[in-house]
Amino acid sequence: MDFRLNAQQELFRTTMREFVDAEIRPVARDWEQEGRYPTEIVAGMAELGLFGMTVPEEYGGLGLDLVSFAIVFEEISRGWMGIAGILGSHALSCAMIARHGTELQKKTWLPLLATGERRTGVGLTEPDAGTDLQGIRTTARLDGDHYVVSGRKTWITNARHADPLPVLVKTDPTATPAHRGMSILLVDAGSPGYEVSRDLPKLGYKGTESCEIVLDDVRVPRENLLGGVAGRGLQQALSALESGRVNIAARSVGLAQRAYDEALSYAKERTAFGRPIAQFQAIQLQLATMATKVQAARLLTYWAAAEGDAGNRVDTQTGMAKMFASEVALECAIESMKVHGGNGYSREYEVERLYRDAILMSIGEGTNDVLRTVIAKSLVSGEARVG
Ligand SMILES: Cc1cc2nc3c(=O)[nH]c(=O)nc-3n(C[C@H](O)[C@H](O)[C@H](O)COP(=O)(O)OP(=O)(O)OC[C@H]3O[C@@H](n4cnc5c(N)ncnc54)[C@H](O)[C@@H]3O)c2cc1C
């Protein structure tokens, strides 16, 4: 057993860390508070090839292993978690197209998505269906060699930049079970009837937009049906979410690490009763607990990623990593705020942003409670085991 990154992963982490320290950390607080779109950071990420993380090399991408993929999200979130959002659903959809797309779809889209010349996201959630995706109402009716799509999607990350946007639809709304009638269509954002109708106001996760999309009789060519066969959409989306959970777990680790780093440096600088507060045992207990939890979350995340790299099915492992790491992120953000005293509540310090961003980690890519039920199901059935 070797708990170290290999030489290539180590080098990759150094590159990522230098990028984040130079390009993201110095601007994160101001840009986040201004609600400014991080155009320059996006350009830097494109230069590093990060939009092609999950695109195979033969289509012009980096074809990263899952551990390196985790490193990208961890390091970026150490700087500003909102930026990771720009890459997250893009990477997820690229992986989905690479895994399930027809050869024509891969050749058409992947090279452009790999460079960031075209960007994407994923349109699953609707106003009345999030966890329960089989309850979506967006329909796609076949009319000659086109599907005609009508419905609404909500909370769509990257909505103003995604083109094409893979959208989960019902190609057969009467199918039972419902997932047999569900498909994914790659929808061109320029299509008549496709409208990004509004930006949703939100607590954190700034830097990337979250929007509602209205699809009003949008005509989508039949060849844009992902994989060319109807009825496989839910499985295609769920299989992409399996590795997507590594992304959320890794973002949580980066965020938790930053919360700990901020607490440690503040505790060394801040004095009370004539000495640095880091010398008080109450503060030391918090620092030790945070550091231990961050490292446990990191190991669980890298383990889940390494299991995926070994070719194993990893829904239980990635679920465990995402659930645990996201809870550590929130705990560390709160504890770090407490170490900061009144300043922890101030917008002039980094830690309040970490707190606002941390809670999202328990919601995205499957809420933690739902993941608990998924993990438990595989444990009880014997499909997965611990120890
Ligand atoms: C900032 C942000 C960005 C997002 N980006 C995207 C995106 O790019 N694309 C996209 O498609 N979606 C996106 N989402 C949506 C996100 O995936 C959903 O919010 C999430 O899946 C939960 O769905 P919901 O909000 O409908 O909650 P619900 O499904 O209504 O859940 C509400 C509560 O009920 C619980 N619950 C539901 N079902 C069960 C069950 N069977 N057992 C136990 N508890 C249950 C949940 O755990 C939760 O606590 C985003 C959301 C946010 C907030």
Side-chain angles (χ1 to χ4, degrees), residues 89 122-125 129-132 154-157 202 205 210 360 363-367 369-370 373:
S89 53
V122 64
L124 310 177
T125 306
T131 303
D132 178 18
T154 193
W155 282 116
I156 308 306
T157 305
K202 53 190 177 178
Y205 203 45
S210 307
L360 179 62
I363 300 168
E365 318 270 354
T367 65
D369 283 346
V370 169
T373 66

Coordinates of all heavy atoms in Angstrom, one line a residue, residues 89 122-125 129-132 154-157 202 205 210 360 363-367 369-370 373, ligand 1:
S89 N -19.5 20.6 -14.1 CA -20.5 19.9 -14.9 C -20.1 19.8 -16.4 O -20.5 19.0 -17.1 CB -21.9 20.6 -14.8 OG -21.8 22.0 -15.0
V122 N -24.9 20.4 -17.6 CA -25.8 19.2 -17.6 C -27.2 19.7 -17.1 O -27.3 20.3 -16.1 CB -25.3 18.0 -16.9 CG1 -25.1 18.3 -15.4 CG2 -26.1 16.8 -17.1
G123 N -28.3 19.3 -17.9 CA -29.6 19.8 -17.6 C -30.5 18.6 -17.1 O -31.2 18.0 -18.0
L124 N -30.5 18.3 -15.8 CA -31.3 17.2 -15.3 C -32.4 17.8 -14.5 O -33.6 17.4 -14.7 CB -30.4 16.3 -14.4 CG -29.1 15.8 -14.9 CD1 -28.3 15.0 -13.9 CD2 -29.3 15.0 -16.2
T125 N -32.1 18.6 -13.5 CA -33.1 19.0 -12.5 C -34.2 19.9 -13.1 O -34.0 20.7 -14.0 CB -32.4 19.8 -11.4 OG1 -31.3 19.0 -10.9 CG2 -33.3 20.2 -10.2
A129 N -38.7 18.2 -9.8 CA -38.0 16.9 -9.7 C -36.4 17.1 -9.7 O -35.9 17.7 -10.7 CB -38.3 16.1 -10.9
G130 N -35.9 16.8 -8.6 CA -34.4 16.8 -8.4 C -33.8 15.4 -8.2 O -33.4 14.7 -9.0
T131 N -34.0 15.0 -6.9 CA -33.5 13.7 -6.5 C -34.3 12.7 -7.4 O -33.8 11.7 -7.9 CB -33.8 13.4 -5.0 OG1 -33.2 14.5 -4.3 CG2 -33.3 12.1 -4.6
D132 N -35.6 12.9 -7.5 CA -36.5 12.0 -8.2 C -36.5 12.3 -9.7 O -37.5 12.8 -10.2 CB -37.9 12.1 -7.6 CG -38.9 11.2 -8.3 OD1 -38.5 10.2 -9.0 OD2 -40.1 11.4 -8.1
T154 N -34.0 23.6 -14.1 CA -33.6 24.7 -13.1 C -32.3 24.3 -12.5 O -31.9 23.2 -12.5 CB -34.8 24.9 -12.1 OG1 -34.5 26.1 -11.3 CG2 -34.9 23.7 -11.1
W155 N -31.7 25.3 -11.9 CA -30.4 25.2 -11.2 C -29.3 24.7 -12.1 O -28.4 24.0 -11.7 CB -30.5 24.2 -10.0 CG -31.1 24.8 -8.8 CD1 -32.3 24.5 -8.2 CD2 -30.6 26.0 -8.0 NE1 -32.5 25.3 -7.1 CE2 -31.5 26.2 -7.0 CE3 -29.5 26.8 -8.1 CZ2 -31.3 27.2 -6.0 CZ3 -29.3 27.8 -7.2 CH2 -30.2 28.0 -6.1
I156 N -29.4 25.1 -13.4 CA -28.4 24.6 -14.3 C -27.1 25.5 -14.3 O -27.1 26.6 -14.7 CB -29.0 24.5 -15.8 CG1 -30.3 23.8 -15.7 CG2 -28.0 23.9 -16.7 CD1 -30.2 22.4 -15.1
T157 N -26.0 24.8 -13.8 CA -24.7 25.5 -13.7 C -24.2 25.7 -15.2 O -24.4 24.8 -16.0 CB -23.8 24.6 -12.9 OG1 -24.3 24.3 -11.7 CG2 -22.4 25.2 -12.8
K202 N -28.5 33.3 -5.1 CA -28.1 32.2 -4.2 C -27.1 32.7 -3.1 O -26.5 33.7 -3.2 CB -27.4 31.1 -5.1 CG -26.4 31.6 -6.0 CD -25.9 30.6 -7.0 CE -24.9 31.2 -7.9 NZ -24.3 30.3 -8.9
Y205 N -21.5 30.0 -4.0 CA -21.2 29.4 -5.3 C -21.3 30.4 -6.4 O -21.9 30.3 -7.4 CB -22.3 28.3 -5.5 CG -21.9 27.2 -6.6 CD1 -20.6 26.7 -6.6 CD2 -22.8 26.8 -7.5 CE1 -20.3 25.7 -7.5 CE2 -22.5 25.8 -8.4 CZ -21.2 25.3 -8.4 OH -20.9 24.3 -9.3
S210 N -26.1 30.0 -12.1 CA -27.1 28.9 -11.9 C -28.4 29.4 -12.4 O -28.9 30.4 -11.9 CB -27.2 28.5 -10.4 OG -26.0 28.3 -9.8
L360 N -23.3 23.8 0.1 CA -23.7 23.2 -1.2 C -23.2 21.8 -1.5 O -23.8 21.0 -2.2 CB -23.3 24.2 -2.4 CG -23.6 23.7 -3.8 CD1 -25.1 23.6 -4.0 CD2 -23.0 24.7 -4.8
I363 N -25.4 19.0 -1.1 CA -26.6 18.9 -1.9 C -26.3 18.3 -3.3 O -27.0 17.5 -3.8 CB -27.2 20.3 -2.1 CG1 -27.6 20.9 -0.7 CG2 -28.4 20.3 -3.1 CD1 -28.0 22.4 -0.8
G364 N -25.2 18.9 -3.9 CA -24.9 18.5 -5.3 C -24.5 17.0 -5.5 O -24.0 16.4 -4.6
E365 N -24.8 16.5 -6.7 CA -24.5 15.1 -7.1 C -25.1 14.1 -6.1 O -24.4 13.1 -5.8 CB -23.0 14.9 -7.2 CG -22.2 16.1 -7.9 CD -22.1 15.9 -9.4 OE1 -22.5 14.9 -9.9 OE2 -21.6 16.9 -10.0
G366 N -26.3 14.4 -5.7 CA -27.0 13.5 -4.8 C -26.9 14.1 -3.4 O -25.7 14.3 -2.9
T367 N -28.0 14.3 -2.7 CA -27.9 14.9 -1.4 C -27.3 13.8 -0.5 O -27.4 12.6 -0.8 CB -29.3 15.3 -0.8 OG1 -30.1 14.1 -0.7 CG2 -30.0 16.2 -1.7
D369 N -28.2 12.6 2.4 CA -29.1 11.6 2.9 C -29.5 10.6 1.9 O -29.6 9.4 2.2 CB -30.4 12.3 3.5 CG -30.1 12.9 4.8 OD1 -29.1 12.6 5.4 OD2 -31.0 13.8 5.3
V370 N -29.7 11.0 0.7 CA -30.0 10.1 -0.4 C -28.8 9.1 -0.6 O -28.9 7.9 -0.8 CB -30.4 10.8 -1.7 CG1 -30.5 9.8 -2.9 CG2 -31.8 11.5 -1.5
T373 N -28.7 6.4 1.8 CA -29.7 5.3 1.5 C -29.1 4.4 0.4 O -29.2 3.2 0.4 CB -31.1 5.8 1.1 OG1 -31.0 6.5 -0.1 CG2 -31.7 6.7 2.2
Ligands
LIG1 C1 -26.0 25.8 -6.8 C2 -26.6 24.6 -7.4 C3 -26.1 24.1 -8.6 C4 -26.8 23.0 -9.3 N1 -26.3 22.6 -10.5 C5 -27.1 21.7 -11.2 C6 -26.8 21.4 -12.6 O1 -25.8 22.0 -13.2 N2 -27.6 20.6 -13.3 C7 -28.7 20.0 -12.7 O2 -29.3 19.2 -13.4 N3 -29.0 20.2 -11.4 C8 -28.2 21.1 -10.7 N4 -28.5 21.3 -9.3 C9 -29.7 20.7 -8.7 C10 -29.3 19.7 -7.7 O3 -28.7 18.5 -8.3 C11 -30.5 19.3 -6.9 O4 -30.8 20.4 -6.1 C12 -30.3 18.1 -6.1 O5 -30.3 16.9 -6.9 C13 -31.5 17.9 -5.1 O6 -32.7 18.0 -5.7 P1 -33.9 19.0 -5.2 O7 -33.3 20.3 -5.0 O8 -35.0 18.9 -6.1 O9 -34.3 18.4 -3.8 P2 -35.4 17.3 -3.4 O10 -35.1 16.1 -4.3 O11 -36.7 17.9 -3.5 O12 -34.9 16.9 -2.0 C14 -35.4 17.7 -0.8 C15 -35.0 16.9 0.4 O13 -35.7 15.6 0.4 C16 -34.7 14.6 0.6 N5 -35.1 13.4 -0.2 C17 -35.6 13.4 -1.4 N6 -35.8 12.1 -1.8 C18 -35.4 11.3 -0.8 C19 -35.4 9.9 -0.5 N7 -35.8 9.1 -1.5 N8 -35.0 9.5 0.7 C20 -34.6 10.4 1.6 N9 -34.6 11.7 1.5 C21 -35.0 12.2 0.3 C22 -33.4 15.2 0.1 O14 -32.3 14.6 0.7 C23 -33.5 16.7 0.6 O15 -33.1 16.8 1.9 C24 -27.9 22.4 -8.7 C25 -28.3 22.8 -7.4 C26 -27.7 23.9 -6.8 C27 -28.3 24.4 -5.5

